[in-house]
Amino acid sequence: MELTSLVINQVFIMFLLIATGYLCNKLNLISAQTNKSLSGLVLNLISPALIISSYQIEFKTELLHGLIISFLLAAASMLLSVVLGQVLIRGKQKDDAAIERFVVVYSNCGFMGIPLVNSIYGAEGVFYVTAYITVFNLLVWTHGVMLMKGELNLKGVLAVFKAPAIIATILGIILFVARISLPGGILSAINYIGSMNTPMAMIVAGATIAQTKIGKALLKPRIYYTSAIRLLLVPAATLVLFKALPVNSTIILTVVLTAACPAGAMVTLFSLNYNKNSLYASEIFAVSTLLSAFTLPLIVFVSGMI
């Protein structure tokens, strides 16, 4: 019951932030063009800062070993979701199919995953979540970009590794392994910037939602189909895949819970940046977030039983 209350509370907070973005658009404080610019700010500055700050912790050998295992399991889980998305998402409209596949693969692992895991496993669980978030960023800036752009070529892949988020990931790992702590003032500035990730991303999503009628989204069966894959099938398949492994149960359940999070705001941000159907992306984002209030406790319960 306590965990259920936590999940509902996180969803409530998220919708308050989305509502803020919604009102900003309706009050003409954020135009469509401004919203697109803000999405670029989140993707190219705020998210990289969050990545670097997540690795500024005290080095411990056991944490490094656990982190390596977390990386492997997170990669396996996300590759599994890529396969599921490719196999199960069919559509005549190329843009919408790309958005749906993006939703299946990329969860809201930052905002929903971190507080959820922290409530169950504490600081150790949060550290392992960073592995999933890192794999997320590596894939979203390679597979995710190619998925949205509809291109798959070597030059595109190499260009993606110049992205700020990828550079931040590599830098963060180097600093952690080398046991290098950034000066207090610099780290504080990075932390301040990174702390804007959740509210800014939600405000951008809310401003996008304001440009459509969300009520209609609740009447679209296709959204429920995509959400079911994202919220139930992906974490269930991940749990089945990992349950027999001789690995710390905390690491396994951390990956499963993070994989069970709803569609991430990234789908809206990427849709805006790559001129996809951002309104449809926001509809899936909003509906899957609402549904996660029921599916996350279910996944937690099933994981505990297994």
Side-chain angles (χ1 to χ4, degrees):
M1 192 65 184
E2 181 180 352
L3 180 57
T4 302
S5 299
L6 170 65
V7 174
I8 292 175
N9 184 60
Q10 292 302 320
V11 172
F12 176 68
I13 293 172
M14 180 176 288
F15 272 96
L16 283 180
L17 293 170
I18 292 174
T20 300
Y22 184 96
L23 289 175
C24 285
N25 178 266
K26 292 300 183 182
L27 295 174
N28 296 318
L29 296 176
I30 299 179
S31 64
Q33 184 57 45
T34 300
N35 200 39
K36 186 171 183 177
S37 297
L38 289 176
S39 73
L41 183 66
V42 172
L43 294 174
N44 297 311
L45 175 63
I46 297 175
S47 289
L50 180 63
I51 294 170
I52 292 177
S53 66
S54 70
Y55 282 96
Q56 284 293 288
I57 58 176
E58 181 183 357
F59 179 88
K60 292 182 180 180
T61 303
E62 57 269 27
L63 285 178
L64 180 59
H65 291 165
L67 185 64
I68 292 173
I69 294 174
S70 296
F71 269 115
L72 296 174
L73 297 188
S77 174
M78 296 199 71
L79 290 176
L80 175 63
S81 67
V82 169
V83 173
L84 290 174
Q86 198 66 34
V87 172
L88 299 176
I89 298 297
R90 304 290 181 181
K92 296 180 179 179
Q93 296 183 1
K94 182 179 179 181
D95 285 359
D96 287 352
I99 289 172
E100 290 170 354
R101 292 190 183 106
F102 192 99
V103 166
V104 169
V105 179
Y106 302 106
S107 71
N108 203 351
C109 54
F111 181 83
M112 295 292 288
I114 290 177
L116 180 61
V117 171
N118 183 54
S119 68
I120 301 175
Y121 299 113
E124 181 183 359
V126 173
F127 179 77
Y128 295 138
V129 167
T130 64
Y132 192 100
I133 293 175
T134 300
V135 174
F136 174 100
N137 279 284
L138 288 171
L139 279 180
V140 81
W141 285 100
T142 51
H143 169 265
V145 170
M146 290 185 290
L147 187 61
M148 286 297 193
K149 293 180 68 175
E151 299 177 356
L152 180 59
N153 56 72
L154 182 58
K155 289 184 178 180
V157 172
L158 294 177
V160 165
F161 278 93
K162 297 178 182 178
I166 295 298
I167 295 174
T169 298
I170 296 173
L171 178 60
I173 293 175
I174 292 175
L175 292 175
F176 172 70
V177 174
R179 310 183 189 191
I180 298 175
S181 298
L182 295 173
I186 294 177
L187 182 58
S188 294
I190 292 175
N191 288 338
Y192 277 127
I193 295 173
S195 67
M196 293 190 291
N197 187 73
T198 294
M200 188 66 74
M202 296 301 104
I203 287 173
V204 168
T208 304
I209 292 173
Q211 301 171 46
T212 187
K213 295 182 179 180
I214 190 60
K216 291 184 177 180
L218 296 172
L219 301 177
K220 296 181 178 181
R222 186 71 182 181
I223 291 181
Y224 289 97
Y225 173 74
T226 304
S227 296
I229 299 174
R230 162 74 268 153
L231 298 171
L232 296 174
L233 184 56
V234 169
T238 298
L239 182 60
V240 171
L241 181 65
F242 295 158
K243 70 175 184 177
L245 295 178
V247 176
N248 186 325
S249 61
T250 298
I251 297 176
I252 291 179
L253 291 180
T254 294
V255 174
V256 171
L257 292 177
T258 312
C261 292
M266 276 288 199
V267 66
T268 299
L269 300 180
F270 267 49
S271 295
L272 284 167
N273 265 23
Y274 296 108
N275 299 313
K276 297 297 183 181
N277 188 350
S278 59
L279 301 184
Y280 181 57
S282 294
E283 288 177 340
I284 300 179
F285 164 76
V287 173
S288 68
T289 299
L290 179 62
L291 294 175
S292 70
F294 305 97
T295 59
L296 275 171
L298 176 62
I299 294 298
V300 172
F301 176 77
V302 173
S303 298
M305 294 293 292
I306 295 180

